[in-house]
Structure formats: C-alpha cells, structure tokens
Amino acid sequence: MNVFKTDIDRLADVMKCTPSDLNLDVVVGCPSCYLDYARQQLPSIIGVAAQNCYKVAKGNFSGEISAAMIEDCGCEWVILGHPERRTIFHEPDDLIREKVAHALKSGLKVVACVCETKEDRDEGRTWQVLEAQMASLAASVSDWSRVVIAFEALWASNTGVLATPNQVQEVLSQLRQWLRHNVSHSVADTTRIIYAGSVSSDNCQEMARLADLDGFLVGSAALTTDIVDIIRASRMSSSQLWGEQQRLVATSHLITNIKQLCFTNLSLRPNSCRPIRNI
C-alpha cells in the first residue's frame, strides 16, 4: 500500500527509459484498485501483475479479487504466496496452493513466492521450511512454463542487513535441484527463479551474475530510478542458458551415436549411412 496514481505515472515515465530489446520479462505488481489504470499507463511491453487473488472464480468473498477480474483489467500476471501474505495475514501453504492452482487454470501467469524468516535462518531450518513450501506449490502447478519462483530472505528485506551473494546462490541452487529431483530435469532447466531482498542499484550487478538467478522481485527500489539499473543488470536467464546447453549436449551425443552406429558396426557398410533429416 505504497502507491497512488501519481506514483504509477512516475513509474510509467521511468519505464519508458528501459531498453526494449532485452530478452526478459518486466512486470509491475500493483494494488488491485489500480490494475486497470496501470495497464493503461505502462508501455505495452511491460506486464502488470495483481499482488493477490482468491482461490475460486466468484462468490461472496468481500474484499477479495478473482483471477477473472485480473484478466478483465487487461492483466495476465499475479503474485501469490508473497512473504507478507504468509507472515502478516498468516496464509498457509494449503491456501496458497489452491490459489496457484486456480490462477493457472484461469490462464494467468504466476509469480509463486517462497520465503525464509530470520527465525528460520537462525535456527538452521531454512531448507526444511522452503522444501515444505515447494512441495505444496508443486502439487498445484499444471503448467510450469507459466510459473516463476520468487525466493525472499525476509531477514534481508528493509532491515539494513543484506544477504550475501553466496547465501542467495546456495538457496537458489537448492530450489533448482529440488525441481530436478521432484518434478523433472526439463522443469528445473527452464523454470525461472528470482530473488527478493533489498535489491538495489548497489547490489544488482553482483547478484545478476549468480549461476541460478534469473531475475529480481523488487520492492521499494521499484519506486525509484534504481529500477532502470536493476533491469539493465538482468540478462538471459540462467535457466534458459542451461536448457540450451543441455539441448546442445544432447544433440552432440545423438550425432556421435549415429556415427558410431553407421561406421563401427561391422554389419553395416560405410556407404549404408544415409542422411537423416528433421532430427
């Protein structure tokens, strides 16, 4: 609850200065009452996300917003399971799972958040907490291509304490490996994982070089010109690069196997190897 229309106007002006040829998605999350206004003011290449939605299409749920309402405002993204929803409004994993499932079924793209608190880190149960959140989340996902995972270290958000790049990379790597072992290699290679936790123009360049980082979920810095530096710091996501590398490796292995089949098998003559198309 930090913006009004005048803030959206200023943000729209700043966004016009961002490069339009980057291979990335830029999405602005805003309060539900301003979704339509933000969609009208922001450049069409910038996505707009609601910051929450309920788990069903309609009904007597005063104060809530549905996925259909978000789409009716011309928006295609929603942020679910945000740490503030989890910690202040005490939304449990089960409710967030139901929200994600309904949002995806309705056609929205989802930024699904997982987080650790200071207590989690101090007591050494960060991964135990995140693993439970991931397991609940995965049970709701019908299409991973429309899901971005956002990890937030709550103890490093507006506290004056910053997570080190090594601390962030350790968690991002664990999240990607969890996807690899519990969902699939393909999902692990292509799902974008982003970080939130006092990201600014001062630390975005160093963070952007992390092996498993695909972008940022930006808080207060999004309301300043820092956002331009943060966007510029982004690059092709590591998941895309990893996926492309794996496809190239697989293709190389396939070609090697074909050559061995054609030229080392004594039952085949060298000229029996014919061109293969559409591999």
Side-chain angles (χ1 to χ4, degrees):
M1 299 191 300
N2 291 316
V3 300
F4 296 94
K5 286 184 178 180
T6 53
D7 299 296
I8 295 174
D9 292 338
R10 284 195 294 270
L11 180 60
D13 290 337
V14 171
M15 285 298 180
K16 292 174 184 176
C17 300
T18 61
S20 59
D21 58 344
L22 295 177
N23 185 24
L24 49 81
D25 287 324
V26 179
V27 181
V28 174
C30 71
S32 58
C33 58
Y34 295 136
L35 285 174
D36 185 63
Y37 185 77
R39 180 62 285 167
Q40 292 179 41
Q41 299 303 113
L42 289 164
S44 59
I45 62 171
I46 305 296
V48 177
Q51 297 174 339
N52 188 34
C53 78
Y54 200 49
K55 63 180 182 179
V56 296
K58 61 189 304 183
N60 300 327
F61 304 102
S62 299
E64 289 288 351
I65 182 174
S66 71
M69 291 174 179
I70 295 169
E71 291 179 309
D72 199 37
C73 292
C75 306
E76 57 181 10
W77 287 88
V78 63
I79 302 170
L80 293 173
H82 191 281
E84 289 159 8
R85 301 298 309 181
R86 290 178 180 273
T87 58
I88 298 174
F89 297 98
H90 306 292
E91 291 190 359
D93 290 341
D94 289 347
L95 175 58
I96 294 167
R97 181 182 69 243
E98 292 175 308
K99 287 183 174 185
V100 171
H102 176 68
L104 290 173
K105 183 179 179 181
S106 300
L108 290 176
K109 300 174 185 178
V110 175
V111 178
C113 302
V114 295
C115 72
E116 64 162 337
T117 64
K118 183 178 185 300
E119 291 74 22
D120 295 332
R121 180 156 289 269
D122 289 345
E123 296 173 13
R125 51 189 173 91
T126 290
W127 183 240
Q128 177 184 351
V129 170
L130 292 177
E131 187 175 30
Q133 293 175 11
M134 287 294 294
S136 180
L137 170 64
S140 69
V141 176
S142 55
D143 181 0
W144 282 97
S145 70
R146 290 190 286 121
V147 174
V148 174
I149 297 173
F151 162 65
E152 180 164 0
L154 267 178
W155 52 272
S157 295
N158 298 315
T159 62
V161 179
L162 297 179
T164 68
N166 286 341
Q167 288 174 318
V168 175
Q169 170 57 26
E170 180 183 17
V171 174
L172 299 182
S173 176
Q174 289 176 315
L175 292 173
R176 199 173 298 283
Q177 288 305 313
W178 190 93
L179 290 173
R180 193 175 306 284
H181 295 148
N182 294 278
V183 184
S184 72
H185 286 281
S186 175
V187 167
D189 292 340
T190 58
T191 298
R192 290 173 289 181
I193 305 176
I194 63 179
Y195 172 67
S198 295
V199 178
S200 69
S201 59
D202 293 330
N203 62 8
C204 62
Q205 292 283 352
E206 185 176 16
M207 289 290 188
R209 291 193 289 268
L210 297 179
D212 285 290
L213 181 75
D214 297 316
F216 303 104
L217 180 62
V218 186
S220 57
L223 299 177
T224 72
T225 54
D226 273 18
I227 191 61
V228 176
D229 293 331
I230 294 170
I231 292 173
R232 290 181 182 276
S234 300
R235 74 257 194 279
M236 180 183 287
S237 67
S238 60
S239 58
Q240 290 175 318
L241 288 171
W242 177 264
E244 183 62 26
Q245 179 191 38
Q246 293 302 101
R247 285 189 288 273
L248 290 173
V249 170
T251 301
S252 176
H253 288 168
L254 178 61
I255 292 173
T256 299
N257 291 337
I258 291 173
K259 287 180 178 179
Q260 290 176 344
L261 175 65
C262 291
F263 297 112
T264 64
N265 190 328
L266 296 178
S267 65
L268 295 176
R269 299 189 306 275
N271 63 1
S272 67
C273 185
R274 301 179 182 276
I276 298 176
R277 300 177 181 175
N278 298 325
I279 294 178

